[in-house]
């Protein structure tokens, strides 16, 4: 589904790239974890495959079409869904409106369908009475679940998440990881998580570690 | 059109910020509206002045030409036969031709003389010198002076003294065009009470020239001259001794050669703005023995005052609009900075940048609509306060300027003739007073003003959002969301 060819990125000095000649493939129905220490460039890699930035060298292909041809705005709107560590919800809206807004912007097939959005929130453990409250009144775990629900209600086949469990406790972390697994396996989407926590990474189907400017594939989950 | 919904949700969720924006926008729009209202009131006042302030064109003998003629004669004459200043009375036929001009509304024939009281006693005055010449001295040496001033007019209602309320009919009626050829007169209240005569009574006076016949006149009205019109110059009679009659009676009293003539004819013009054009057209119809002078002081005073007010109001509108745009732009810039994450999320969802700008514009538009309503209520009050201050200031400047430019309060009677109430002397004060009165601004709000305010509100909102949107257009979601 998603493929990188000779991908490279550096900030100021080409001689000091974050990564170089990265050739990876990501498929639907699978969850991937990108591991790496702070500053290794894993979040930058995520921003490239999320269409938030352009690579310095190489290219990214979605179903064999380069992103430059698809257009980054179109790609972000229809092909990819992003979950952030800081949730990044619309703080002046309720969970329900956050979902409806995302559905409207991305032109999802269920756009405008409140019942559908409510069901997704319900599935993620957001009680009905919380759905119409301002999101700022929700706990961190609840807000992250709303953020995940936002990716689920959109039709994008690619879900990328940047440290999605970074601000969560153990219970919420497990719940969120389980949810990502369901998205990958039940909804047949491609989930790519960027994390620095080996325990979280270990629960994904495949793991890559970014070290020495290269992505090293770790053992597949049994 | 999801940005409409987002805009509404944002405005509703952040009530405190929205109220603050409404207050700031209301203050800006209130001053813009005040400026617009003052401007349109000033334009309206100038338009009203065209019809109400009243400008006149006066046809009279050309004193300058007559003086030149006298000078040329004196150089060739002996001391014994020294030439006299001879002024040719205005022919009524010429006046009727001028009255046919399109801009002439009405005209008033003036013919004045003096007579000596016979059946009554004049009101005594300490400065009682004859009135034959008056300040302008039109009749000059051709007439002897009497103790009673006869002001022959077409109608008293058309004279400056009555139009400016310096004189007022208190009993009976004034002189009208129907009094032509009659001996009907209107006398002053003091003269009537001193002689115990009233409307319906008759009085007799004696000509000062020619056969010095005694004429009997019927009193049809009594008027009261206000003290402010009292002329105390050495060449004047007590105003109480001024009797109004038809100009035909005045001509009869002056002598048979004055039939069909007048000292002067004052034409009231329809549009004071075209008074100069009317004067030019009138000059084509008369000979050089006559002159046409204009008096549009009242109109010019109102016009000048209103031009100042209008110009100031324009400055208010533009200054407030520019300052308002800058203030709102700064507020929106700060607002956008604080919403960078929201913009980043919208961009990460694939929202078009123009739709994000449109969301901010819609939010401001919602604020502006409420601010427009608030400004609509408060703008009239601010306009009234500001307008009256401006007019007071402008009128004071006008009066000061007039006083310093024209010592003595105006030009003397000049060619209008000795007894003619012309543009000079006390009447000038009356004219200024009338002009000042007419210069009051009537601030009223119309749909056009509100529409114009709406336009300004829209433009201010649009510009402030456009200025602030530079940041949105340059914003990279990665820098906001992943850092």
């Amino acid at each position: 589904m998603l493929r990188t060819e000779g991908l490279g990125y550096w900030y100021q000095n080409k001689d000091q790239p974050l990564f170089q000649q990265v050739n990876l493939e990501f498929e639907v129905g699978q969850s991937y974890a990108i591991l790496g220490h702070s500053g290794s460039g894993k979040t930058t890699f995520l921003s490239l495959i999320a269409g938030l930035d352009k690579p310095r060298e190489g290219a990214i292909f979605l179903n064999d079409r380069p992103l430059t041809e698809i257009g980054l705005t179109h790609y972000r709107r229809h092909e990819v869904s992003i979950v952030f560590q800081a949730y990044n919800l619309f703080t002046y809206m309720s969970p329900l409106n956050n979902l409806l807004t995302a559905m409207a912007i991305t032109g999802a097939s269920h756009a405008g369908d409140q019942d559908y959005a409510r069901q997704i929130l319900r599935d993620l453990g957001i009680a009905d009475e919380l759905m119409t409250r301002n999101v700022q009144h929700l706990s961190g775990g609840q807000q992250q679940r709303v953020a995940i629900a936002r990716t689920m209600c959109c039709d994008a086949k690619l879900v990328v998440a940047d440290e999605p469990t970074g601000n969560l406790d153990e219970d919420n972390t497990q719940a969120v990881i389980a949810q990502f697994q369901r998205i990958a396996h039940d909804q047949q989407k491609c989930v790519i998580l960027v994390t620095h926590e080996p325990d979280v990474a270990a629960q994904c189907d495949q793991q890559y570690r970014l070290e020495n400017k290269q992505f090293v594939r770790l053992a597949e989950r049994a | 059109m999801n940005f409409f919904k987002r805009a509404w949700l944002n405005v509703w969720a952040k009530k405190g910020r929205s109220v603050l924006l409404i207050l700031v926008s209301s203050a800006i729009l209130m001053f813009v509206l005040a400026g617009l209202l003052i401007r349109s009131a000033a334009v309206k006042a100038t338009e009203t002045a065209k019809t109400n302030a009243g400008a006149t064109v006066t046809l009279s003998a050309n004193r300058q030409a007559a003086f030149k003629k006298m000078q040329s004669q004196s150089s060739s004459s002996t001391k014994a036969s020294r030439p006299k200043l001879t002024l040719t009375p205005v022919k009524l036929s010429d006046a009727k031709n001028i009255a046919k001009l399109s801009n002439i509304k009405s005209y008033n024939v003036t013919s004045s003389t003096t007579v000596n009281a016979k059946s009554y006693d004049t009101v005594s005055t300490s400065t009682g010198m004859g009135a034959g010449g008056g300040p302008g001295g039109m009749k000059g040496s051709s007439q002897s002076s009497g103790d009673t001033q006869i002001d022959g007019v077409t109608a008293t209602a058309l004279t400056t003294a009555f139009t400016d309320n310096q004189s007022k009919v208190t009993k009976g009626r004034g002189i009208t065009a129907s009094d032509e050829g009659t001996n009907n007169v209107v006398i002053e209240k003091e003269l009537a009470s001193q002689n115990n005569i009233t409307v319906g009574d008759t009085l007799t006076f004696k000509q000062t020239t020619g056969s010095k016949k005694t004429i009997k006149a019927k009193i049809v009205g009594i008027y009261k001259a206000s003290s402010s019109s009292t002329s105390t110059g050495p060449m004047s009679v007590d105003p109480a001794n001024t009797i109004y009659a038809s100009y035909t009676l005045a001509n009869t009293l002056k002598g048979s050669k004055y039939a069909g003539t007048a000292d002067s004819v004052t034409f009231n013009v329809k549009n004071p703005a075209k008074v100069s054009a009317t004067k030019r057209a009138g000059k084509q119809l008369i000979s050089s023995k006559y002159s046409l002078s204009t008096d549009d002081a009242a109109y010019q005073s109102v016009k000048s005052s209103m031009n100042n007010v209008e110009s100031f109001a324009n400055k208010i509108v533009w200054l407030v609009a520019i300052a308002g745009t800058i203030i709102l732009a700064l507020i929106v810039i700060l607002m956008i900075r604080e919403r960078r994450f929201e913009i980043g999320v919208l961009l990460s969802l694939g929202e078009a940048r123009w739709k994000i700008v449109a969301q901010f514009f819609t939010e401001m538009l919602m604020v502006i609509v409420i601010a427009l309503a608030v400004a609509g209520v408060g703008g009239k009050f601010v306009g009234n306060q500001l307008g009256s201050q401006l007019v007071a200031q402008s009128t004071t400047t006008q009066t000061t300027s007039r006083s310093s430019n024209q010592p003595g309060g105006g030009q003397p009677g000049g060619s209008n003739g000795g007894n003619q109430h012309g543009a000079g002397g006390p009447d000038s004060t009356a004219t200024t007073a009338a002009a000042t009165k007419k210069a009051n601004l009537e601030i009223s709000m119309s749909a056009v003003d509100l529409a114009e305010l709406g336009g300004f509100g829209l433009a201010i909102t649009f510009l402030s959002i456009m200025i602030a949107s530079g940041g949105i257009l340059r914003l990279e979601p990665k820098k906001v969301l992943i850092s």
Side-chain angles (χ1 to χ4, degrees), chain A residues 11 43 53 76-77 88 92, chain B residues 10 342 345 347 350 478 482:
Chain A
Y11 279 101
T43 299
D53 202 355
R76 290 199 299 263
R77 189 179 302 158
N88 286 342
Y92 55 90
Chain B
N10 191 276
E342 179 194 341
V345 176
L347 290 172
K478 184 199 160 194
I482 304 175

Side-chain angles (χ1 to χ4, degrees), chain B residues 312-331:
Chain B
F312 195 79
N314 263 330
K315 281 175 194 152
I316 290 177
V317 169
W318 287 109
L319 278 177
V320 173
I322 292 166
T325 306
I326 294 168
I327 291 168
L328 276 186
L330 287 174
I331 292 173

Side-chain angles (χ1 to χ4, degrees), chain B residues 5-32:
Chain B
K5 187 183 171 187
R6 291 201 308 266
W8 166 245
L9 288 172
N10 191 276
V11 167
W12 186 247
K14 300 191 174 174
K15 293 184 188 75
R17 192 200 64 189
S18 301
V19 168
L20 211 66
L21 273 173
I22 288 169
L23 288 177
V24 173
S25 308
S26 298
I28 293 167
L29 291 181
M30 213 177 276
F31 279 98
V32 171

Side-chain angles (χ1 to χ4, degrees), chain B residues 102-269:
Chain B
S102 59
N103 197 27
I104 301 297
K105 190 164 61 181
S106 59
Y107 68 100
N108 188 33
V109 176
T110 310
S111 180
S112 303
T113 187
T114 55
V115 291
N116 283 315
K118 195 169 181 200
S119 69
Y120 62 94
D121 295 323
T122 56
V123 174
S124 64
T125 170
S126 57
T127 56
M129 292 178 74
M138 174 182 166
K139 284 171 287 297
S141 57
S142 66
Q143 289 179 329
S144 309
S145 59
D147 55 17
T148 305
Q149 167 80 26
I150 301 291
D151 273 1
V153 295
T154 303
T156 45
L158 293 173
T159 62
T160 323
F162 282 86
T163 52
D164 287 349
N165 288 327
Q166 297 294 306
S167 298
K168 208 172 178 181
V169 174
T170 54
K171 204 170 182 186
R173 62 173 178 84
I175 296 296
T176 63
S178 63
D179 291 312
E180 274 181 33
T182 69
N183 287 1
N184 293 340
V185 292
V186 175
I187 64 167
E188 215 279 331
K189 197 178 174 184
E190 271 183 53
L191 186 69
S193 61
Q194 181 174 296
N195 292 285
N196 203 21
I197 49 179
T198 186
V199 173
D201 292 343
T202 54
L203 50 78
T204 51
F205 37 71
K206 213 171 152 186
Q207 278 180 303
T208 54
T209 54
S211 57
K212 300 198 175 178
K213 272 201 303 189
T214 300
I215 308 279
K216 198 184 268 187
K218 187 185 175 190
I219 302 165
V220 293
I222 291 170
Y223 76 95
K224 187 177 184 331
S226 76
S227 54
S228 66
S229 68
T230 303
S231 183
T232 54
M235 297 294 284
S236 61
V237 292
D238 190 296
N241 295 328
T242 298
I243 294 175
Y244 284 98
S246 169
Y247 70 91
T248 52
L249 177 60
N251 283 347
T252 307
L253 292 168
K254 282 155 85 173
S256 57
K257 65 174 180 176
Y258 286 92
T261 66
D263 294 345
S264 66
V265 181
T266 306
F267 301 91
N268 295 308
V269 300

Side-chain angles (χ1 to χ4, degrees), chain A residues 31-35 197-209 215-221:
Chain A
S31 62
Y32 300 85
I34 310 284
L35 268 165
E197 297 171 82
D199 295 347
V200 172
Q203 295 180 57
C204 292
D205 299 331
Q206 291 186 45
Q207 299 174 54
Y208 289 93
R209 180 180 292 278
F215 283 83
V216 179
R217 190 170 177 180
L218 303 180
E220 212 165 305
R221 195 168 72 113

Side-chain angles (χ1 to χ4, degrees), chain B residues 36-49:
Chain B
L36 289 174
L37 291 181
I38 294 168
R39 191 181 67 177
S40 60
V43 171
K44 215 182 289 171
T46 313
E47 284 302 312
T48 312

